[in-house]
Amino acid sequence: GDSDALFRLGIQPLVHLPSVGRNLSDHPTVGNQWMVNGNDTFENLGRNATLAAEILQQWNSTKTGVLVVGTFNHVGWVQLPSNSSIFQRFPNPSAGPHTAHFELLPRFESSTSTFSSLIS
């Protein structure tokens, strides 16, 4: 975090990162669903616990199979331009000039929840 603010609280910072910890907010989640032309998708792992266990065993044993390519393949951090019209009405809420306004973190709920239960 900000070294000055941390020093005032009696905390010895290792690195001065003034953007860290400011304007902390929750990460909202938006679910997107779509139809595909086929039935060989990660959704099969969410619907079939036996298949999910076999796929996980294959990955644990040989590091091969569909889990080689993770479900997270597109991640983005986006900041609005500083001259965006919204900043004429509202102050910029970001923690710093290089901090994103939007974080795009896709996930696949069915396969994630299935694997979480298999691993724990």
Side-chain angles (χ1 to χ4, degrees):
D2 185 290
S3 294
D4 293 333
L6 293 171
F7 276 127
R8 287 192 298 273
L9 296 171
I11 300 170
Q12 176 67 42
L14 299 177
V15 179
H16 177 62
L17 299 170
S19 295
V20 174
R22 289 200 178 156
N23 297 324
L24 183 63
S25 60
D26 198 1
H27 292 75
T29 301
V30 176
N32 295 305
Q33 298 180 2
W34 56 90
M35 300 294 291
V36 296
N37 293 329
N39 60 4
D40 189 19
T41 68
F42 274 106
E43 290 298 312
N44 292 338
L45 302 177
R47 293 185 196 112
N48 184 333
T50 302
L51 175 62
E54 291 170 0
I55 296 295
L56 185 60
Q57 176 61 39
Q58 179 184 6
W59 167 250
N60 285 330
S61 299
T62 65
K63 304 298 186 228
T64 62
V66 298
L67 295 182
V68 169
V69 178
T71 57
F72 287 101
N73 61 1
H74 293 86
V75 177
W77 288 267
V78 181
Q79 187 179 60
L80 296 173
S82 60
N83 63 351
S84 181
S85 62
I86 194 159
F87 298 136
Q88 293 173 6
R89 293 183 51 208
F90 302 100
N92 186 337
S94 70
H98 304 292
T99 304
H101 294 111
F102 300 98
E103 296 178 7
L104 309 172
L105 307 169
R107 66 183 189 162
F108 296 91
E109 189 65 43
S110 295
S111 57
T112 304
S113 60
T114 299
F115 285 113
S116 296
S117 65
L118 287 173
I119 294 170
S120 47

